[in-house]
Amino acid sequence: MKAIQDYFVPWVKGIPMYVSGHIELAWRQPELHRMMSNENPNPPSAKVQEAIQKYGAMANRYPDQGLVVRSKIAEINGLDGPKNVMIGNGSSEVFDNIFRCFLQVGEEVIQHTPCFGIYKLRCNILGGKLVSVPMIYADKELKFNVDAILAAITDKTKIIVVANPNNPSGNFMNAEDFAKIAETGIPFIVDEAYVEFAGLEKSQVGLIKKYKNVLITRTLSKAYGLAGMRFGYALGHEEVIGQISAALLPWNVGTIPMWAALAALEDIEGLTERVEFNNREVAYIENALSDIPGFIVFHSAANYILFDGSGTGKAGDDLVAFVQERGIILRPQSTMYGQNGWWRLTLGTQEENRMAVEAIRAFYA
Ligand SMILES: Cc1ncc(COP(=O)(O)O)c(C=O)c1O
């Protein structure tokens, strides 16, 4: 008799469950200040909470395919209708669904690093090969390197993914560079998880009218503040969205998330308040930390800020540990570009941001 391990497909065998240590910690110790996971510090608006209550009372019913919320999303983005929109349990599930439709074992996904970790996780579980193309670190900036992305393409490349703005660097790629990648015809995902903080004018959604291979992904976890609700979506050409939607789990998005999402999308005032709060506080933190000698602040168009404190001679991990002793969780970053001074902060409430600035300045003093 074969052991159970021998029945697993080889590319899944040995992969552990993904556990986000800092999120686990934050739920175990709710007194800690959560400034590590690019969440929104503001709770859902009254209108969204009302929808949650209303549809909570109907949770005995199966959800439909989300035609109402998909139509609203199409309208906001100037698209024809729900056939241009696929919804998922957070954009993480949207990536998974797209990856499963394009990637076979041994085929390649190109990502631009440093970047969000989900592309790697979903690639690995399918037995794909992840190709990481580094951004260029020069002039105190992390710059997109489209030429290197194009040079990394092989006949096995099935997906290219670029986050815009990028996490953790917080910046946008130049608008003209998107067409260069789109022109290759390779499925090209533009991850716009944070685009609402800068405004939809910065979106690349217009590309999908010209290029069938371009997919735009979004989430309500960030500017809309619904990370715990799990709602994300993809925008694309109707043929492509239709084909990818064939791989969706039936009823993948629950009744409560889809109606809460609709309420959030309709609550323009709620979004505006959150975006204005965020952008004001990002400017405050960037300013408050900009004069530390040897310290690099990466200007952010999102709700997190990346820092390189290598020039101070102090390690990023030590900063994160020091601040955590004062009750604030930040996000360490691995060693990058041969330097270990990196770390990232997510915006908290006004009070939390001031506490964090004080603790960070005390560490570098
Ligand atoms: C760049 C980027 N894309 C997507 C997501 C995923 O968000 P969700 O699965 O909550 O929609 C995140 C979350 O941090 C992110 O940073």
Side-chain angles (χ1 to χ4, degrees):
M1 198 173 76
K2 280 203 290 185
I4 183 68
Q5 284 79 1
D6 296 328
Y7 285 91
F8 284 106
V9 292
W11 47 93
V12 168
K13 210 156 129 181
I15 296 184
M17 173 184 170
Y18 175 73
V19 178
S20 173
H22 41 269
I23 291 181
E24 299 290 315
L25 173 70
W27 280 103
R28 264 196 326 271
Q29 288 182 236
E31 70 282 7
L32 293 174
H33 300 281
R34 305 168 70 127
M35 300 182 69
M36 71 306 178
S37 293
N38 301 353
E39 297 163 333
N40 195 313
N42 299 303
S45 70
K47 287 177 183 155
V48 173
Q49 295 201 34
E50 226 170 84
I52 293 171
Q53 291 288 335
K54 179 175 171 194
Y55 288 93
M58 295 176 68
N60 54 316
R61 301 296 183 193
Y62 279 104
D64 64 6
Q65 49 155 320
L67 274 182
V68 177
V69 71
R70 285 164 59 206
S71 300
K72 179 72 191 170
I73 291 167
E75 178 203 311
I76 291 171
N77 289 285
L79 300 171
D80 291 346
K83 56 190 189 300
N84 298 107
V85 183
M86 180 184 85
I87 57 177
N89 234 296
S91 57
S92 295
E93 191 194 40
V94 169
F95 296 123
D96 184 63
N97 214 51
I98 298 172
F99 278 33
R100 283 190 292 117
C101 289
F102 290 117
L103 199 66
Q104 298 191 64
V105 174
E107 293 180 333
E108 297 169 3
V109 175
I110 298 178
Q111 65 172 12
H112 205 28
T113 55
C115 69
F116 181 48
I118 198 88
Y119 321 131
K120 176 179 181 178
L121 293 172
R122 301 333 298 163
C123 176
N124 286 350
I125 211 72
L126 294 168
K129 183 176 163 216
L130 188 77
V131 178
S132 292
V133 175
M135 298 175 86
I136 298 169
Y137 188 23
D139 314 319
K140 302 184 178 177
E141 274 178 55
L142 283 167
K143 301 179 188 195
F144 290 86
N145 189 351
V146 174
D147 292 340
I149 291 174
L150 295 174
I153 293 171
T154 71
D155 56 5
K156 292 207 169 113
T157 306
K158 286 301 181 75
I159 293 167
I160 300 174
V161 57
V162 170
N164 198 53
N166 184 43
N167 170 16
S169 56
N171 53 338
F172 283 102
M173 185 159 98
N174 289 332
E176 60 272 18
D177 286 339
F178 287 91
K180 293 183 194 163
I181 301 177
E183 290 285 345
T184 64
I186 295 167
F188 177 26
I189 304 173
V190 184
D191 176 356
E192 296 188 338
Y194 301 92
V195 76
E196 294 89 355
F197 289 114
L200 288 192
E201 316 81 73
K202 296 291 280 183
S203 171
Q204 297 301 322
V205 66
L207 290 176
I208 66 183
K209 299 213 164 128
K210 187 160 177 207
Y211 301 102
K212 279 191 186 175
N213 56 311
V214 173
L215 288 157
I216 306 287
T217 58
R218 302 255 186 83
T219 179
L220 268 69
S221 299
K222 310 300 180 182
Y224 288 98
L226 292 176
M229 193 57 67
R230 311 307 300 133
F231 187 94
Y233 59 91
L235 305 172
H237 188 279
E238 61 176 275
E239 261 175 48
V240 181
I241 290 290
Q243 190 59 73
I244 294 170
S245 299
L248 282 175
L249 275 180
W251 310 291
N252 66 319
V253 175
T255 308
I256 301 169
M258 74 168 68
W259 291 97
L262 180 72
L265 292 161
E266 286 175 339
D267 184 6
I268 294 169
E269 202 181 310
L271 176 66
T272 307
E273 271 171 22
R274 281 162 184 74
V275 166
E276 285 177 355
F277 170 83
N278 182 79
N279 297 352
R280 206 167 51 236
E281 290 294 303
V282 166
Y284 160 72
I285 294 200
E286 288 183 355
N287 260 323
L289 298 177
S290 63
D291 63 343
I292 299 172
F295 192 64
I296 297 173
V297 180
F298 291 80
H299 172 61
S300 177
N303 67 344
Y304 48 84
I305 310 171
L306 179 69
F307 301 92
D308 180 8
S310 305
T312 67
K314 296 192 174 183
D317 286 357
D318 292 341
L319 174 278
V320 172
F322 179 90
V323 173
Q324 198 160 312
E325 274 177 23
R326 283 155 183 75
I328 301 165
I329 318 177
L330 298 179
R331 184 65 158 266
Q333 293 284 141
S334 50
T335 293
M336 298 195 291
Y337 303 91
Q339 296 175 333
N340 69 353
W342 302 89
W343 53 277
R344 193 192 70 192
L345 169 150
T346 300
L347 263 281
T349 61
Q350 211 166 355
E351 192 192 348
E352 286 173 329
N353 297 334
R354 274 129 199 97
M355 278 172 55
V357 163
E358 201 178 307
I360 294 159
R361 292 197 68 96
F363 174 79
Y364 287 111

